[in-house]
Amino acid sequence: MHPADAGEVAAVVLEARERGRRVKAAGTGHSFTGIATPEQVHLRPARMQGVLAVDRERLLVTAAAGTRLADLNLALERLGLSLHNMGDIAEQTLAGAISTGTHGAGGLVAGLAGQLAGLELVTGTGEILRVGLDARSEAGARGGTGDPDDDLLDLVRVGLGALGVITTVTFSVEPLFLLRAEERPMGWADGLAAFDDLAAAHDHLDVYWFPHTDRLLTKGNSRMGTDPAVADPLPAWRARLDDEFLANTVFGAQTALLNRAPFAIPAANRLASRLLSAREYTDVAHRVFTAQRRVVFREMEYALPREVGLDALREARRALDASGLRVSFPVEVRVAPGEAAALATAHGRDSLYLAFHTHRDADHRAYFALVEPILRAHGGRPHWGKLHSLEADDLAPLYPRFEEFTRLRDRLDPDRVFANRYLERVLGA
């Protein structure tokens, strides 16, 4: 089904509720888990696209929730505006990225949900709930939660698709700005010793470790103001060579081949890490934050307390080195400030994210099973849209407001219209 607005979504939800059917809005299918898997009624976002309103005085932009992040970035650029932060993949719909806790690195707010000023969603009883901005929510006005609007927003904005179908989102934005990217290869010991200084010296920091090597690649992004004259983007030939041919075509072919010859992975990783070179460029923020990723992979990512994150990385490396497993994809390391959203993985604490990847055709199970207990032992919280083994009983102690969230779910979706197998696993039946 292809609803165009909240009213049409509500009609579908009411009919499904009456018939005892389940509804799931699913967009581009980027999540690695089954969080957005439709089991019966599938709502598609094709008719819920684009920017709907712009408030330049308050720096607010409202968009239809089915809009891809990449399309929002382009629309904002034309308006001379930008999001504060984002991850490196922009193919997700806004609703999907927000609901799963998609995040970038550093900044004042790393997560997309943390940049929300308000949203509209259709609940499991077919009501249209508006949260945030200037007005009390409709549910609050009816006595549904009794919570202040900003507190309710913190409960719903990383909602996992369990509370309703998001139809519009309103972001707090800022004037279009530029980022200076500085990419440097470093040794393992030197890079980890300098990690905190690098994070402090840049507004955003990503670090990639190549398994079976002592090599890291660091990417520090620094804000450069709003003057377009400062832009110094990569030459077109260099961008095509590095980011399209090498990072996608060559890397994709290499990792696919290494699936059939895993004994060669350590040597291949050592060679690839030695071929890395430094580069710097300055461009509009979203062009620096995001990249094309055409090599299909599987991923597990955990958010750890910042103070123990590097210890967990070192322990994960020791375990991998001793295991005999061979991994061709780098491990990504990011830091992020704490956030208020109840189910944000950085809720209430500054965090360090560790992301582990494999090629889609490689068997990821032994690798992820090796590393996951280490991440859990350090207080890690798994990304909702990436692979993990945790269930509701495991997750509840990790989130101080977990029970509040599930009580709100009981009110907004009492008949579990939006449930599926993944949500039953992580939230309870």
Side-chain angles (χ1 to χ4, degrees):
M1 294 185 177
H2 299 79
D5 56 30
E8 293 186 11
V9 172
V12 174
V13 169
L14 284 171
E15 181 182 359
R17 185 188 187 203
E18 291 172 2
R19 299 176 60 188
R21 293 169 64 81
R22 290 180 168 184
V23 175
K24 187 59 62 181
T28 59
H30 177 70
S31 291
F32 300 90
T33 66
I35 190 168
T37 301
E39 294 183 355
Q40 292 172 323
V41 180
H42 182 185
L43 302 184
R44 301 175 185 273
R47 297 175 63 207
M48 300 175 66
Q49 307 274 339
V51 171
L52 304 176
V54 179
D55 184 335
R56 290 188 178 274
E57 182 177 348
R58 296 192 296 170
L59 289 176
L60 300 172
V61 171
T62 299
T67 307
R68 290 189 317 141
L69 180 59
D71 295 329
L72 177 67
N73 285 335
L74 292 175
L76 290 177
E77 182 179 354
R78 290 191 291 269
L79 292 165
L81 300 169
S82 177
L83 295 172
H84 174 71
N85 204 341
M86 64 197 75
D88 65 351
I89 295 177
E91 298 307 310
Q92 311 98 311
T93 62
L94 300 180
I98 291 162
S99 297
T100 56
T102 295
H103 64 91
L108 299 175
V109 178
L112 283 174
Q115 299 168 64
L116 277 187
L119 60 81
E120 175 187 82
L121 76 160
V122 177
T123 74
T125 59
E127 295 176 274
I128 298 172
L129 175 68
R130 297 184 181 92
V131 185
L133 301 178
D134 301 323
R136 305 286 285 187
S137 72
E138 291 189 5
R142 291 189 301 272
T145 67
D147 295 323
D149 223 35
D150 56 352
D151 190 58
L152 182 57
L153 182 60
D154 284 341
L155 284 169
V156 303
R157 57 184 166 176
V158 182
L160 315 187
L163 305 178
V165 176
I166 298 176
T167 51
T168 69
V169 295
T170 299
F171 283 107
S172 294
V173 296
E174 55 187 279
L176 188 69
F177 63 95
L178 291 90
L179 286 174
R180 180 71 173 173
E182 302 174 55
E183 299 178 8
R184 298 279 185 276
M186 298 184 72
W188 167 271
D190 290 343
L192 294 194
F195 184 88
D196 288 335
D197 290 337
L198 289 170
H202 298 90
D203 294 289
H204 314 272
L205 177 68
D206 284 64
V207 174
Y208 301 87
W209 169 58
F210 294 80
H212 318 298
T213 81
D214 282 316
R215 303 292 290 170
L216 306 171
L217 175 67
T218 67
K219 179 183 178 183
N221 297 333
S222 302
R223 294 173 68 104
M224 298 295 290
T226 60
D227 184 359
V230 175
D232 181 24
L234 287 171
W237 68 267
R238 180 74 185 272
R240 286 195 297 270
L241 175 65
D242 290 357
D243 301 330
E244 181 57 33
F245 181 66
L246 294 178
N248 282 302
T249 304
V250 172
F251 183 68
Q254 173 183 295
T255 50
L257 181 62
L258 290 171
N259 288 336
R260 296 190 287 271
F263 65 87
I265 287 175
N269 285 7
R270 287 192 293 270
L271 176 61
S273 66
R274 289 291 176 185
L275 293 176
L276 294 171
S277 60
R279 65 178 190 174
E280 297 184 11
Y281 58 97
T282 303
D283 211 336
V284 170
H286 72 85
R287 296 197 187 104
V288 177
F289 281 132
T290 66
Q292 291 292 325
R293 294 281 186 262
R294 292 194 293 102
V295 182
V296 182
F297 54 89
R298 301 182 191 276
E299 181 176 359
M300 178 180 69
E301 181 181 57
Y302 269 70
L304 300 110
R306 171 72 186 272
E307 61 274 13
V308 300
L310 292 183
D311 292 337
L313 175 62
R314 293 184 179 97
E315 189 173 340
R317 178 182 178 174
R318 289 194 295 269
L320 178 60
D321 288 346
S323 70
L325 297 174
R326 297 292 179 257
V327 178
S328 60
F329 271 64
V331 174
E332 184 178 13
V333 186
R334 292 180 280 180
V335 291
E339 298 201 19
L343 293 191
T345 48
H347 174 79
R349 68 189 193 193
D350 292 345
S351 298
L352 184 143
Y353 286 91
L354 295 178
F356 301 84
H357 310 74
T358 68
H359 189 276
R360 67 173 176 185
D361 295 328
D363 189 346
H364 64 280
R365 292 171 295 182
Y367 178 35
F368 291 179
L370 174 74
V371 172
E372 190 175 33
I374 297 169
L375 307 178
R376 293 188 62 185
H378 286 84
R381 298 168 176 159
H383 190 299
W384 297 106
K386 299 177 184 179
L387 295 172
H388 67 91
S389 66
L390 273 61
E391 299 181 356
D393 289 344
D394 306 309
L395 292 160
L398 299 176
Y399 290 93
R401 302 188 69 183
F402 192 89
E403 186 177 345
E404 284 183 78
F405 181 89
T406 56
R407 288 200 305 266
L408 181 63
R409 183 192 187 201
D410 289 339
R411 289 195 289 271
L412 299 186
D413 187 20
D415 301 308
R416 299 296 187 262
V417 176
F418 304 121
N420 63 10
R421 284 185 291 277
Y422 178 82
L423 293 181
E424 289 172 345
R425 188 186 111 203
V426 299
L427 295 178

